[in-house]
Amino acid sequence: MSDSERSRTTTEAPATPEPRATANRSTTPGSDAFKHYIASGWADREEILPPAREQAPSALERRLALSAAFPGKRLVIPAGSRKQRSNDTDYPFRAHSAFSYLTAWASDSEPDSVLVFEPSETGHDVTLYFRERAGRDSEEFYANPEIGEFWIGPRPSLAQVAADLGLATAGIAEIESVPIDESTLVLRETAGHLPEGAGAEADAELARVLSEQRLVKDAYEIEQMRLAVDATARGFDDIIADLPRIASLERGERAVEGVFNARARLDGNTVGYDTIAASGPHACILHWTRNDGPVVPGDLILVDAGVELDSLYTADITRTLPVSGRFTDVQRRVYEAVREAADAAFAIVRPGIRFREIHQTAMAVIARKTAEWGLLPVSAEEALEADNQQHRRYMVHGTSHHLGIDVHDCAKARREMYLDGVLEPGMVFTIEPGLYFQPDDLTVPEEYRGIGVRIEDDILVTASGAENLSIGIPRSADDVEAWIARLAR
């Protein structure tokens, strides 16, 4: 496979796109005198080529693996475009995970870039097409708020990106010469302006192979996961240290979200997903991200959060905390039942078992506990039968999902490779059982209503078993109480 560090240039730059909805705000001068003056008097920019980044060799191995899976096929993997938030304001750009996985271009990648695998006698020639920076003599430099350097800061040249990523590069205008025909597979999820071409079924195969390729993490990815967990642990420490202030605010959940987001921006790129800061009965809402309620002493607060690094790898961790620093007897009972389910699931993790067995093991504990408390109309054994499942009323979600460059990683993998797949060393996933007793659930005693508990850890499969990457973040009820006592100001 040819994958050199050469850089191709183009003599004809693509037309500058019209900035959106700025006509009523634009006061940029248009006189010839202004254009001449702003284009002159700039110091020469030295073209400094960076060394290849740390993850470039790993990305090369991933491209080789993908090339081997599709001999003779042209593969097109777009990074995606900016997404409009409102009018002429965009959300922060994040490249598609598959694009970053294959290029190592992550938080610093350019929108609308496209990675192309062109079939060759030795496999594929791979080229990264992107919009390079414009010269200071162009109107784009000062008049385009979307990509002009006067507006958004320095942008890389073709040669700099080629050296940085160990990839051939070309100007985005040249993408028009890439045929989209019967031999072309396109990752359609982010195809943007690319014309329709290959069939949807073949394109879906490309997405599937890319998902399945990511099921087993390489050494670089595992190290990134460790770093993401470490940063997330610091974010949880920050929340606990600020709990007294948070509890005094009308919308304390927002303060929890803000404290964690600050850590994510300091130690990483951003959060890996919208933080769940669910206090009191909000903890029974599985994806509560409105985060507009108070954090009341005596209640529990469920915090589900993860730091995404500049590499785009993210942690995904949940801890449930007593706001006052101490669990009540009922809260502790529910909390320790969830921890028992998590511990039981972790205990069976090793190469050779099926992924679904993790969920089944956790559910056996949940069924037993809810039956012991008299919440089920049948025995635990009967509830676990496929035609019953009454215990799932109190935990309707799954116990585990793969984790990596996406928080729900490898989502396009086949069922036989994912849910029914066999564990291998290098797989990373969550274990996250919970119990949620809705405030209006008449099947549970009143003292349970409004209590929601989840404990979530990030797990690495090793050659002989498993490692809990987030074991350093307190998990038992006793340890959580000691954690709060130590840090809360």
Side-chain angles (χ1 to χ4, degrees):
M1 176 182 181
S2 174
D3 202 352
S4 66
E5 293 186 4
R6 62 189 174 88
S7 173
R8 298 209 305 267
T9 59
T10 177
T11 57
E12 182 180 353
T16 300
E18 287 293 326
R20 295 193 303 270
T22 58
N24 288 328
R25 297 192 296 108
S26 177
T27 57
T28 303
S31 67
D32 289 341
F34 168 78
K35 292 179 180 178
H36 174 75
Y37 188 63
I38 198 170
S40 62
W42 300 103
D44 291 336
R45 287 196 284 194
E46 185 180 358
E47 181 81 324
I48 300 175
L49 300 184
R53 62 181 61 187
E54 176 189 1
Q55 59 268 49
S58 297
L60 172 58
E61 291 301 316
R62 299 165 195 163
R63 295 193 297 272
L64 288 167
L66 187 64
S67 173
F70 293 98
K73 294 290 186 180
R74 180 180 300 105
L75 309 178
V76 178
I77 296 95
S81 302
R82 292 182 178 91
K83 300 295 188 295
Q84 185 178 20
R85 185 179 187 274
S86 66
N87 191 26
D88 59 341
T89 303
D90 293 323
Y91 289 103
F93 175 69
R94 184 193 190 279
H96 191 278
S97 296
F99 174 89
S100 290
Y101 176 78
L102 293 168
T103 62
W105 217 9
S107 64
D108 56 342
S109 57
E110 290 286 326
D112 299 311
S113 303
V114 184
L115 186 69
V116 176
F117 288 64
E118 188 66 32
S120 69
E121 292 183 359
T122 58
H124 288 85
D125 294 327
V126 183
T127 303
L128 174 59
Y129 296 82
F130 72 97
R131 187 183 185 89
E132 67 170 324
R133 66 186 181 208
R136 286 165 170 166
D137 57 348
S138 73
E139 291 189 19
E140 176 185 301
F141 170 60
Y142 63 85
N144 189 322
E146 293 186 14
I147 57 176
E149 290 190 79
F150 220 98
W151 294 84
I152 66 170
R155 296 176 58 235
S157 70
L158 294 176
Q160 286 172 331
V161 173
D164 186 11
L165 304 181
L167 264 168
T169 59
I172 193 62
E174 292 191 46
I175 195 68
E176 300 301 327
S177 65
V178 176
I180 307 295
D181 54 25
E182 302 77 22
S183 65
T184 305
L185 305 185
V186 181
L187 193 65
R188 290 284 170 193
E189 299 165 12
T190 56
H193 67 278
L194 290 172
E196 291 296 326
E201 184 175 341
D203 292 343
E205 183 185 4
L206 174 58
R208 174 187 64 76
V209 169
L210 278 166
S211 272
E212 292 175 358
Q213 188 175 329
R214 298 196 334 242
L215 283 166
V216 176
K217 272 55 181 178
D218 60 33
Y220 172 80
E221 293 177 290
I222 292 170
E223 178 60 21
Q224 291 299 296
M225 298 303 301
R226 292 186 190 280
L227 294 173
V229 168
D230 289 347
T232 301
R234 292 189 288 275
F236 275 95
D237 283 349
D238 294 341
I239 291 168
I240 288 177
D242 211 21
L243 263 182
R245 182 187 70 90
I246 288 167
S248 72
L249 301 174
E250 183 178 353
R251 294 202 289 181
E253 291 175 343
R254 289 279 168 95
V256 170
E257 177 184 344
V259 167
F260 189 85
N261 286 6
R263 175 59 62 182
R265 291 292 282 167
L266 285 169
D267 289 4
N269 179 44
T270 184
V271 290
Y273 51 94
D274 287 343
T275 297
I276 296 170
S279 187
H282 289 165
C284 301
I285 302 172
L286 300 180
H287 283 173
W288 174 259
T289 56
R290 192 181 304 167
N291 298 344
D292 61 359
V295 176
V296 179
D299 284 346
L300 300 177
I301 180 167
L302 185 158
V303 182
D304 186 335
V307 172
E308 176 187 276
L309 302 183
D310 289 325
S311 64
L312 304 186
Y313 286 84
T314 184
D316 181 7
I317 293 165
T318 306
R319 291 294 185 263
T320 306
L321 312 169
V323 177
S324 62
R326 303 283 294 182
F327 291 97
T328 67
D329 290 344
V330 176
Q331 290 170 349
R332 177 180 280 266
R333 183 182 310 141
V334 176
Y335 184 93
E336 286 296 282
V338 171
R339 184 169 72 93
E340 184 177 334
D343 290 348
F346 176 75
I348 72 162
V349 176
R350 64 184 184 280
I353 72 162
R354 296 199 176 275
F355 190 68
R356 64 165 54 251
E357 294 178 52
I358 301 167
H359 176 71
Q360 293 167 345
T361 301
M363 285 301 94
V365 176
I366 296 298
R368 176 166 54 81
K369 288 295 183 179
T370 51
E372 285 177 3
W373 299 338
L375 307 184
L376 303 183
V378 296
S379 69
E381 292 74 19
E382 290 170 315
L384 288 167
E385 294 175 6
D387 292 338
N388 288 328
Q389 301 289 302
Q390 289 89 343
H391 59 293
R392 295 298 302 279
R393 178 186 180 109
Y394 312 113
M395 182 187 154
V396 297
H397 62 79
T399 303
S400 298
H401 60 80
H402 281 269
L403 180 66
I405 201 168
D406 278 333
V407 66
H408 295 145
D409 210 18
C410 315
K412 298 298 176 67
R414 290 167 292 175
R415 183 183 181 91
E416 57 266 34
M417 298 291 289
Y418 198 124
L419 186 60
D420 293 326
V422 175
L423 297 193
E424 299 179 41
M427 288 182 169
V428 178
F429 49 78
T430 65
I431 291 181
E432 50 178 308
L435 280 169
Y436 315 90
F437 301 116
Q438 302 293 334
D440 58 351
D441 190 343
L442 301 181
T443 69
V444 301
E446 188 173 355
E447 62 183 350
Y448 285 88
R449 296 175 197 166
I451 293 177
V453 173
R454 182 164 64 251
I455 301 171
E456 178 180 19
D457 287 291
D458 299 345
I459 310 302
L460 168 67
V461 182
T462 65
S464 58
E467 177 187 351
N468 184 342
L469 299 177
S470 47
I471 194 64
I473 305 175
R475 298 176 70 256
S476 73
D478 287 344
D479 287 346
V480 166
E481 289 179 345
W483 188 22
I484 296 173
R486 175 169 52 88
L487 291 180
R489 291 191 289 264

